[in-house]
Amino acid sequence: MKYSNQTRLLVAVDCVIFGFDGADYKLLLIQRGFAPEKEKWSLMGGFIQPSESADEAASRILEQLTGLKEVYMEQIQAFSTPERDPIERVIALPYVALIDIEKYKTQINDDFHARWYNIKSLPNMIFDHKEMVELALNKLRYKAAFHPILFELLPEKFTLPQLQAMYEGLYDTKIDKRNFTRKVLSTNLLKKENEKDKSSSKKGAYYYSLDEEHYKENFTNIHNFIPRNEIPVGNE
Amino acid sequence: MKYSNQTRLLVAVDCVIFGFDGADYKLLLIQRGFAPEKEKWSLMGGFIQPSESADEAASRILEQLTGLKEVYMEQIQAFSTPERDPIERVIALPYVALIDIEKYKTQINDDFHARWYNIKSLPNMIFDHKEMVELALNKLRYKAAFHPILFELLPEKFTLPQLQAMYEGLYDTKIDKRNFTRKVLSTNLLKKENEKDKSSSKKGAYYYSLDEEHYKENFTNIHNFIPRNEIPVGNE
DNA sequence: TTTTAATAGTGTAAAAAATACAGTTAATAA
DNA sequence: TTATTAACTGTATTTTTTACACTATTAAAA
């Protein structure tokens, strides 16, 4: 038994995969292997299969490209205009994924000719993928203003200067070091390690790591790492 | 030309339509007119047609039931588990809609046997519609904590006690009247009218209305009408 | 006419949070 | 030993938020 006289459509998920390399935000793009727009740059995506939910499809597709499982992903608004794909109508469910850029470097799947692009100089992309990236970035800026999601971009151990650079990069602003440190440490989300990162200064900066338990418990709480006047006007 | 060897699916939008009657939040439900689950309560929904986007479908479906156009609507996360509809797989895109309950009362479309239910005593609903409502409520609570969206539920003229009752109802809490008034008026979103609502007190409460221009300009800004400790842990 | 009752309206002091701001420390390299 | 470079740290001020209670208005009742 089926619903009759209704049109069925292709439904795809597209992964907007962000990384942070210590200085810049990067987006992982692939070179599309098939027509139309063969060899143009594209988000990694795929059609939802009969056996899987959208979340499962997104995880599958992310793993296919990066080898990574259990990645922080979040669905954003569907893209659904009838003509967005010239071949055939496809409803796209975009997912924002935040990964530790180092974890991907080890596992390059050459099948897709993937490449990290600086988000400030993105290539032309197929269809409406650029819009998806813009929406994803707005969402990320909005959400990161209140929730500590950016930690997903960092390796297990990181320094406060790295953390601050990550926030400064996302909002393209300078934040006062003393105020930033105070706010971050007051959340008790971080544990100080007895080890320094000497790679970027003579003095060296202490490593910190996430207090995983506290992090999970307080993930959905409202935090405020960035100054009031840098909080973006909200797209969500 | 088509994408080959891919499964096409039905895609529906479902409208989670909220109203506020001065005391309680209400949800507009319909009695499903066809199998399966005929006569069970359901969100108003429908399949996306070939010519329309999801947003357009949601607007069409909302108008079909309520007669209202240009209603505040927002898409929330897709529901996509393969078995959610027993007849056939359907991907559902739920939309939250906020309407002035008075505007609907005048235009009851009897075809759907629609009814307002208090959100505190919802009937059994088909499929996963209850989950959609829960998700929509969480989203509403979260968003309304930072953005002045609840005004969409009020008529053109409303009083401060009404406004406060609406916020208190959503968060199921009591808010200090003086602090609430100060915060609300400091946004300059409201214009005081020279007229009182005498229906709920002898003294009468002054009507206020939205300063439409200021409202639209500041809609996406971050506001804070509710006390810090009532801000919900975030689902978004 | 006076009293009662019920809700609307209003201000201030204290606490908490956010901001602005600059000198000292540590370690390597010269 | 000195110079260089980035990490680290504290306080005073401003802004925001909170806590808290009495007066005003008017219709209805006495």
Side-chain angles (χ1 to χ4, degrees), chain B residues 105-214:
Chain B
K105 276 193 184 154
T106 60
Q107 138 92 33
I108 292 177
N109 187 336
D110 240 6
D111 298 352
F112 301 106
H113 305 97
R115 222 200 99 173
W116 286 107
Y117 273 94
N118 189 317
I119 58 164
K120 286 178 181 164
S121 54
L122 294 174
N124 287 329
M125 297 164 65
I126 65 164
F127 308 161
D128 47 11
H129 284 199
K130 190 83 136 243
E131 280 173 68
M132 286 185 194
V133 174
E134 284 307 318
L135 188 70
L137 265 174
N138 283 338
K139 172 90 180 187
L140 184 61
R141 288 194 184 102
Y142 186 77
K143 183 140 187 179
F146 300 115
H147 300 284
I149 52 175
L150 296 189
F151 292 103
E152 303 290 331
L153 294 167
L154 291 174
E156 274 196 28
K157 291 189 294 188
F158 51 86
T159 67
L160 292 180
Q162 280 166 18
L163 185 66
Q164 181 168 347
M166 189 169 63
Y167 276 88
E168 289 179 341
L170 186 59
Y171 299 99
D172 193 23
T173 188
K174 280 281 170 198
I175 303 175
D176 181 89
K177 189 172 31 168
R178 288 160 292 188
N179 293 339
F180 182 79
T181 306
R182 186 186 310 115
K183 282 181 179 182
V184 167
L185 294 180
S186 73
T187 64
N188 289 113
L189 254 40
L190 300 190
K191 288 187 305 198
K192 190 175 190 172
E193 303 287 325
N194 280 324
E195 193 189 348
K196 280 184 167 183
D197 166 31
K198 291 279 184 66
S199 67
S200 65
S201 82
K202 290 160 184 171
K203 182 175 178 179
Y206 277 105
Y207 279 118
Y208 286 78
S209 64
L210 278 178
D211 179 336
E212 285 295 344
E213 201 159 329
H214 210 258

Side-chain angles (χ1 to χ4, degrees), chain B residues 45-59:
Chain B
F47 296 112
I48 293 182
Q49 299 301 309
S51 61
E52 66 188 3
S53 67
D55 286 5
E56 286 160 355
S59 296

